[in-house]
Amino acid sequence: MSILLVLCPIIAIGAIIDAIAGGGGLITLSAYVAVGLPPQVALGNNKFAAAGGTTIACYRYIRNGQVDWKVGSIAILFSLAGSAVGSSLATRFADAYLHYLLIFLVPVIAAFIMLKPDFGQAKPMDDKLAIPLSAVAGLALGAYDGFFGPGTGMFLTIIFTSVIGLDLLRSCGTAKVVNLASNVAALATFVRFGSIDYAIAIPCAISAIIGGYIGSGLAIRGGVKVIKPVMLLVLGLLLLKVASSTFGLF
């Protein structure tokens, strides 16, 4: 019970952030590990709760017409393939080089978001370009998710906005649908191998559902004014995580 008193509020906060901009796993996974869950159980519980929070966020985005199904369906298919590739690479190669790349890329992405005045505004792209670019984005981010993971939803949102030309809110909704597909696929593996402590996972999932509902509502009502600062917060958290893992700063 004492573990749940610590975990549930943190999981709800992580789900709020995840529903708005993605990247909530940077908070939630760290919380599971901090209370002493073994790594595989922490990952399994994180996916179980995240699936609940992402499902309710998807429902709200879909109900409000904030999902581009052409872009999302193609990205889902290719992200599942990319995730398999990334998972395979993770068993063979260390992620140290990716850490160094992210230490460079994250500040660049943050500067791009802050300094580009029209970031998040819709710039419709012809389907002849949007569809193949969605496939490339899904494949690349699926591989990233399988190999490393943190911030995948946020990176999808940024690509859907800055490359494919969706407005920021619609990008968030579309990224959530892609995230849900990858979460469910990963969750099935954790369930199969018994890597979930349901006594902890179910209350945390309820907290994530509440957080997902609140976060998606804030994003839908606030749009760019809410999403952009949360996105910058997630980039900051990702940079701290990567720097900590690479240089042992914390």
Side-chain angles (χ1 to χ4, degrees):
M1 179 60 73
S2 59
I3 287 178
L4 291 176
L5 290 175
V6 173
L7 276 178
C8 287
I10 297 174
I11 301 309
I13 291 169
I16 290 171
I17 290 172
D18 200 65
I20 295 172
L26 289 164
I27 295 171
T28 57
L29 185 56
S30 298
Y32 288 117
V33 173
V35 298
L37 294 184
Q40 279 300 111
V41 176
L43 287 167
N45 281 26
N46 191 52
K47 285 296 181 186
F48 186 89
T54 303
T55 298
I56 193 66
C58 281
Y59 168 75
R60 296 201 75 184
Y61 281 118
I62 292 168
R63 192 180 66 177
N64 282 272
Q66 298 300 336
V67 174
D68 188 308
W69 288 107
K70 285 183 181 178
V71 170
S73 57
I74 294 296
I76 287 170
L77 291 174
F78 280 85
S79 72
L80 294 175
S83 181
V85 172
S87 298
S88 176
L89 290 174
T91 64
R92 302 179 188 182
F93 302 100
D95 58 5
Y97 293 112
L98 180 58
H99 282 197
Y100 286 112
L101 179 62
L102 286 172
I103 286 171
F104 168 75
L105 281 179
V106 168
V108 171
I109 293 169
F112 171 79
I113 291 173
M114 287 189 292
L115 299 176
K116 198 170 189 297
D118 60 348
F119 178 78
Q121 294 180 16
K123 297 175 183 177
M125 177 181 285
D126 188 273
D127 283 352
K128 291 180 180 178
L129 281 176
I131 298 303
L133 285 174
S134 300
V136 172
L139 188 66
L141 270 298
Y144 171 83
D145 194 25
F147 186 75
F148 185 59
T152 301
M154 178 196 58
F155 287 137
L156 272 172
T157 300
I158 291 170
I159 289 174
F160 288 157
T161 298
S162 58
V163 177
I164 296 175
L166 304 182
D167 68 76
L168 191 53
L169 183 56
R170 200 168 177 80
S171 293
C172 283
T174 306
K176 279 290 116 206
V177 171
V178 178
N179 260 170
L180 179 60
S182 63
N183 275 346
V184 170
L187 179 59
T189 302
F190 287 113
V191 169
R192 185 159 62 95
F193 286 101
S195 300
I196 300 173
D197 183 337
Y198 290 101
I200 295 174
I202 291 173
C204 286
I206 294 170
S207 299
I209 289 169
I210 294 169
Y213 185 88
I214 293 170
S216 55
L218 289 171
I220 290 165
R221 288 193 298 272
V224 175
K225 291 180 180 179
V226 171
I227 299 169
K228 192 171 176 179
V230 174
M231 200 172 272
L232 292 170
L233 170 64
V234 172
L235 284 167
L237 292 174
L238 178 58
L239 185 59
L240 284 174
K241 176 180 174 55
V242 173
S244 173
S245 300
T246 307
F247 304 115
L249 297 179
F250 306 102

